[in-house]
Amino acid sequence: MEWKEERTIEANIETVWNLFREENMLVIMPKVIENEPVHIEEGGVGSKYRQKYQEGKRVETYIVETVGYEDTDEKKFKQLNFTLAKAFDITFSFTLEKVTESTTRFIYEGNNRGVNFVGRAFMKLGSKKNNQKVVNDFKDRVEEEALKEEART
């Protein structure tokens, strides 16, 4: 499964970028219940975090690695990778581009692939409609939280 979605958010690029800081991940990813640093690299790339993800009563723990990072006045980028349940390799990124002082283009893209028989079978059985809903819900949450932050400032 691959996705690349884009949305314009009526908020300053720094306001939106703040949501993607490690300490704010739980705000935009409510099923992530823990995000603890394991190894921090200057400049971001190579940093690792232990995340716990809860789906119903089940909790999965995995290590997320920052594999891409850029932070300039005009563009922000963070790319993360992790393996979930020894079955899925997930890579995704957030790109923010400054359109105006109060408008940001948010690009959310990534891929999720099965790494073993179970993972590949599950991916084939997965609903594209449900996957699209997950992506749309995430974009909605980022926009909603950015607008809340923008209203506070």
Side-chain angles (χ1 to χ4, degrees):
M1 172 181 107
E2 293 185 10
W3 67 92
K4 182 174 182 179
E5 298 282 333
E6 187 175 307
R7 176 172 293 178
T8 300
I9 300 175
E10 296 299 323
N12 180 277
I13 191 170
E14 295 297 335
T15 301
V16 183
W17 185 236
N18 189 50
L19 296 172
F20 295 97
R21 296 197 189 291
E22 297 309 325
E23 62 271 18
N24 294 329
M25 283 294 188
L26 305 183
V27 172
I28 57 173
M29 298 178 170
K31 291 185 180 185
V32 173
I33 57 173
E34 190 176 294
N35 188 42
E36 297 295 324
V38 173
H39 175 79
I40 303 299
E41 286 288 334
E42 190 174 324
V45 175
S47 295
K48 295 181 181 181
Y49 297 83
R50 180 178 299 105
Q51 280 190 356
K52 289 187 179 181
Y53 175 89
Q54 185 168 5
E55 184 72 49
K57 292 183 180 181
R58 193 179 85 239
V59 175
E60 291 285 343
T61 302
Y62 48 87
I63 301 295
V64 176
E65 181 175 1
T66 303
V67 294
Y69 188 86
E70 180 180 346
D71 184 359
T72 68
D73 291 343
E74 302 293 318
K75 180 181 178 188
K76 316 286 187 184
F77 172 78
K78 183 182 269 189
Q79 184 176 43
L80 303 170
N81 174 263
F82 65 98
T83 300
L84 181 62
K86 299 180 184 171
F88 306 100
D89 181 56
I90 302 166
T91 300
F92 58 99
S93 66
F94 317 108
T95 304
L96 304 177
E97 297 172 346
K98 182 178 181 177
V99 178
T100 68
E101 286 300 319
S102 60
T103 308
T104 302
R105 180 177 298 110
F106 168 42
I107 303 163
Y108 176 42
E109 62 185 304
N111 62 69
N112 180 354
R113 63 178 186 83
V115 294
N116 58 24
F117 176 77
V118 172
R120 288 188 297 272
F122 192 85
M123 293 300 296
K124 286 183 180 179
L125 295 173
S127 157
K128 286 186 180 190
K129 184 178 177 182
N130 188 49
N131 292 337
Q132 187 62 49
K133 181 181 179 342
V134 170
V135 170
N136 288 339
D137 287 352
F138 180 71
K139 291 187 316 183
D140 291 346
R141 194 165 27 266
V142 168
E143 182 174 27
E144 180 182 319
E145 292 299 327
L147 294 175
K148 280 185 198 173
E149 275 304 306
E150 196 75 358
R152 288 187 196 119
T153 58

